[in-house]
Amino acid sequence: MIRLQQLSKVFQARSDSIRAVDNVDLSINTGEIFGVIGYSGAGKSTLIRMLNMLERPSAGNVTVADWNMADLSGRRLREARQEISMIFQHFNLLWSRTVKENIAFPLEIAGVSKQKRAERVEELTELVGLSGRGDAYPSQLSGGQKQRVGIARALANNPKVLLCDEATSALDPKTTDSILDLLTDINKKLGLTIVLITHEMHVIRKICHRVAVMDGGKVVEQGLVIDVFRNPEQDMTKEFVKQVTEPEETLDALKDILKSSENGLVVKLMFLGEDAEQPVMTDLIRTCGVAVNILQGKVSKTRDGSYGTLFVQLQGNKEELDKAWQYLQEHRVEAEVLNDV
Ligand SMILES: Nc1ncnc2c1ncn2[C@@H]1O[C@H](COP(=O)(O)OP(=O)(O)OP(=O)(O)O)[C@@H](O)[C@H]1O
């Protein structure tokens, strides 16, 4: 559905030039939810804005839904943009128009008749869960409801692709989750291809099929979300994965335990998919005779399976600890010892 080839964008500042996007190659499949993650300044916004030519590339090709985007202008670019909608962090609603009028706006521009507009607005209001709020003004809505209007408006002309520019960054965690659920629902119901940019790994974990990590304008890593969680290669990717799997307080708590753990191993265990649901710990205690002190654990769900991290302290004599270590190796549990004994 989307193909980026050697895509670059250079901004000319007064004294020097900034390479915001640097030679990016990406392919995004039809019906996929594809996430791009990176810290501020990585080039995410510039990249996503080149998908609908809000930003023109300095070099390279952008193909979206068979449109060769960089070749388009005027009427043909407007036509292509009907197939490539966008939602924004700050919603970009028309404040003097009601919910219904905001949603109807792209239909008016597309020349849809009044009767058809009214029907479509009704359909969309229901789809995004805003039935009964059609006559409210944006200022009367919560952040989540405003983004629902943004989504309904973006879907008005039946686009093939939805671009989400930090669409949940201005929302609280609970509202973020409800908007992510809505995007997942729309993706399933309509088969819509969704591209989103974010700095939150939670967003990637919850709804994306695949992810690309950006740093300094380049894509430094990409893959299936579950694989990236399981085997992050770049240090930056590891940091993003830790946002979800290891909250900061874990490290603080572990520091104290590591200081005082003289007779045992402090181990970080990583489980994947079905392994995350096996009774590995019970078997470990039974077969190896070690005592297990659970320090912290978390199972995160991605679209393609569960991923678990568990911090434990194993206590026993040298022979028992060796046996336990052997057991973990044999049971496809990835383990890392955090202290030396
Ligand atoms: N119009 C512009 N003129 C000059 N420099 C720009 C322009 N737009 C972006 N940049 C620069 O390009 C780089 C990438 O910016 P971009 O906004 O794409 O990153 P980002 O990952 O989306 O970060 P953020 O989340 O903070 O927006 C930054 O160094 C930024 O300052």
Side-chain angles (χ1 to χ4, degrees), residues 90-118:
H90 297 296
F91 324 119
N92 295 12
L93 302 179
L94 298 164
W95 299 92
S96 59
R97 287 180 161 231
T98 63
V99 166
K100 277 187 193 161
E101 289 163 354
N102 264 282
I103 301 172
F105 189 59
L107 296 165
E108 282 169 41
I109 291 176
V112 176
S113 72
K114 203 169 171 195
Q115 164 83 22
K116 285 232 165 77
R117 267 190 339 243

Side-chain angles (χ1 to χ4, degrees), residues 11-13 18 20 38-47 55 166 197:
F11 289 110
Q12 295 301 337
I18 298 160
Y39 291 118
S40 186
K44 311 178 295 292
S45 299
T46 308
L47 182 81
E55 209 69 77
E166 296 276 8
I197 62 168

Side-chain angles (χ1 to χ4, degrees), residues 280-290 320 323-324 327 331:
V280 175
M281 282 301 112
T282 318
D283 289 349
L284 185 74
I285 295 164
R286 272 201 206 118
T287 49
C288 309
V290 287
E320 286 161 345
K323 200 168 166 191
Y327 176 92
H331 285 76

Side-chain angles (χ1 to χ4, degrees), residues 14 22-23 33 50 116 124 145 155 178 181 183 211 238 278 317 328:
R14 259 184 218 145
D22 190 2
N23 218 10
I33 304 185
M50 284 196 282
K116 285 232 165 77
L124 289 160
Q145 289 172 329
L155 297 179
S178 73
D181 287 340
L183 290 174
V211 60
K238 288 178 189 162
Q278 298 295 315
N317 60 34
L328 290 171

